[in-house]
Amino acid sequence: MSTSLEHLAAVAAAGVPGLAPVAVGPSPDDDADFRSAVVVDAAGRRWRVRSPLSPEASVRLETEHLVLRSFTPAVRSRLPFLVPTAAGSVAHGDLHAFVHSHIEGAPLDIDALARMAAEPDPEHHRHVPSADPPPTLTVQLGRLLAAIHALPPALVLDADLPGYTAEQCRTRRVAELRRAAGTQRVPAALLHRWEGVLEDRDVWRFEPRVVHGDLQEDDLVISRGRVRGVTGWTDLHVGDPAEDFAWLLAARDARLAEGVLEAYATACRRTSFQAPDREPDPHLLDRARLDAELALAQWLVRAVDRGADDLVADAEQMLATLEQDVARLPDPARGAGSPEHPAELSVPHGDQRPRPAGGTESPQPAGGPEGSRPASGPDSPRAVHGTEGSHRTRDPEGPAPAGAPGPLPGRTPREGPEGPAQGRSTTS
């Protein structure tokens, strides 16, 4: 499927009846699996068209399209943010391009979000027509997560999307650990650390909720200090709410994660919150840290499976650095997740999709030059501060953790509990 801007504008016109493109521009806030554009129609409305570059990416877009169509007006009214509206699709062989409504704004990197949360810009609220002070970005993020987790499970299950119990979530992590141990390349100290968390049944006593499952800072559309929208709904499922918190651990300012969790807990206590319980479980961040650290092991497994020796060497080096860092910490099964044990780890931020901040470039007239496409590949390494872990990569087959020379192609769901167990015996 052609991915020129002119072709994507034509796709939008074919997918949405009555859409007459007058301008088109690149949409840089997308990963290397897709080519995207923002199309302006004759009425001044903006549309986002996304074209997959592989069958796996096409499946992800089809899933997101299904999810967006399941967000009825009643569901959308419960959310304190906008969700794109599915407008149309165009088939090209086995691949499908999709057109959604475009939400104005731009993603920010995690540290920019932390700075905005700590020091709000008064200019962002000068024209807010309210006598009450607007909520801080930290509060907005807490309410955002609470609103997602309060969605009815039927929204997911009726769409034939996955649902997992707490024990199934633990079992899936066990399978990931077994595969990592089977490479015989993961430091024994890290395997022991992760086994300790997986064997602690108290850590895995939580109520499954609807989770975004793919949440990153680049899925948040920010405008004038407000979270206007949330995108990236390819992995919606019922499962562990900790998955939606892991990305917060990458901020250099540890107050961001702490503040968001506090705002989340406050939202849970509100009578309008429809979740099964009124308090976040006490081990939520412990599981988020486990996800973050296992991200490197998953990347190693993918590199070994593909026979990519250079990537294997990089993954081994990152795991060795993680081993050195966690050696300074208490065992997580004995309270490493408590606030009394802060640490700074060198584990890189998990998802490294090339989404520069600054918003979409100004659209150019349809038929004009295509414009430059953001470079693919991982961002430069970034240390994780203030937590014992980093954010987990979205998928071991997706973008590499920072520091790896390049992404591995393809992206498939995580291996389930039936996955192969090789080499060293781990938690059962």
Side-chain angles (χ1 to χ4, degrees), residues 35-302:
R35 186 72 209 279
S36 302
V38 175
V39 176
V40 182
D41 67 13
R45 294 171 298 188
R46 292 174 179 258
W47 307 86
R48 189 181 187 197
V49 54
R50 304 176 76 194
S51 177
L53 301 180
S54 68
E56 293 85 358
S58 183
V59 170
R60 289 175 58 201
L61 286 184
E62 290 180 43
T63 300
E64 182 177 37
H65 192 72
L66 174 65
V67 170
L68 294 180
R69 290 175 65 88
S70 69
F71 279 103
T72 64
V75 170
R76 291 170 184 265
S77 69
R78 299 173 58 173
L79 302 174
F81 52 83
L82 299 176
V83 174
T85 300
S89 64
V90 176
H92 183 82
D94 294 332
L95 305 182
H96 290 76
F98 292 88
V99 184
H100 301 150
S101 61
H102 178 64
I103 302 174
E104 290 297 325
L108 298 176
D109 68 58
I110 186 68
D111 291 317
L113 284 175
R115 288 192 297 271
M116 185 179 291
E119 301 177 3
D121 186 345
E123 289 295 321
H124 290 161
H125 308 300
R126 174 175 293 182
H127 305 293
V128 176
S130 174
D132 298 325
T136 65
L137 185 61
T138 301
V139 172
Q140 292 179 56
L141 293 174
R143 293 176 179 176
L144 177 155
L145 290 171
I148 293 174
H149 296 170
L151 289 172
L155 175 74
V156 173
L157 303 180
D158 290 349
D160 200 26
L161 296 174
Y164 304 102
T165 66
E167 177 58 21
Q168 287 173 329
C169 290
R170 189 190 77 88
T171 303
R172 286 161 64 82
R173 297 295 180 268
V174 170
E176 293 170 2
L177 181 56
R178 284 176 173 168
R179 293 198 67 197
T183 68
Q184 300 183 2
R185 296 173 182 268
V186 180
L190 294 181
L191 294 175
H192 173 76
R193 173 180 172 83
W194 300 334
E195 285 177 333
V197 179
L198 289 166
E199 290 172 349
D200 187 345
R201 297 290 178 156
D202 288 339
V203 173
W204 300 93
R205 291 194 178 100
F206 64 87
E207 189 71 35
R209 292 182 175 177
V210 173
V211 296
H212 182 283
D214 203 19
L215 195 60
Q216 301 278 346
E217 64 269 25
D218 45 10
D219 293 316
L220 305 179
V221 182
I222 309 294
S223 177
R224 298 183 63 83
R226 293 181 54 203
V227 181
R228 297 202 68 239
V230 177
T231 62
W233 297 91
T234 60
D235 293 306
L236 190 74
H237 65 278
V238 175
D240 187 354
E243 293 183 45
D244 287 346
F245 279 83
W247 66 281
L248 293 165
L249 302 179
R252 289 180 173 86
D253 188 346
R255 294 175 298 176
L256 178 64
E258 297 166 358
V260 171
L261 182 59
E262 180 179 354
Y264 176 84
T266 299
C268 288
R269 299 185 192 108
R270 295 170 58 186
T271 56
S272 60
F273 189 71
Q274 301 298 316
D277 50 69
R278 297 298 182 190
E279 293 286 345
D281 72 271
H283 295 286
L284 187 148
L285 289 186
D286 293 332
R287 297 192 307 278
R289 293 184 181 103
L290 174 67
D291 274 8
E293 295 177 12
L294 275 175
L296 292 182
Q298 287 196 324
W299 174 243
L300 171 67
V301 169
R302 288 302 309 153

Side-chain angles (χ1 to χ4, degrees), residues 249-251 343-349 382-387 389-391:
L249 302 179
E344 294 187 357
L345 296 189
S346 301
V347 182
H349 180 49
R382 179 172 67 183
V384 174
H385 296 264
T387 66
S390 72
H391 179 232

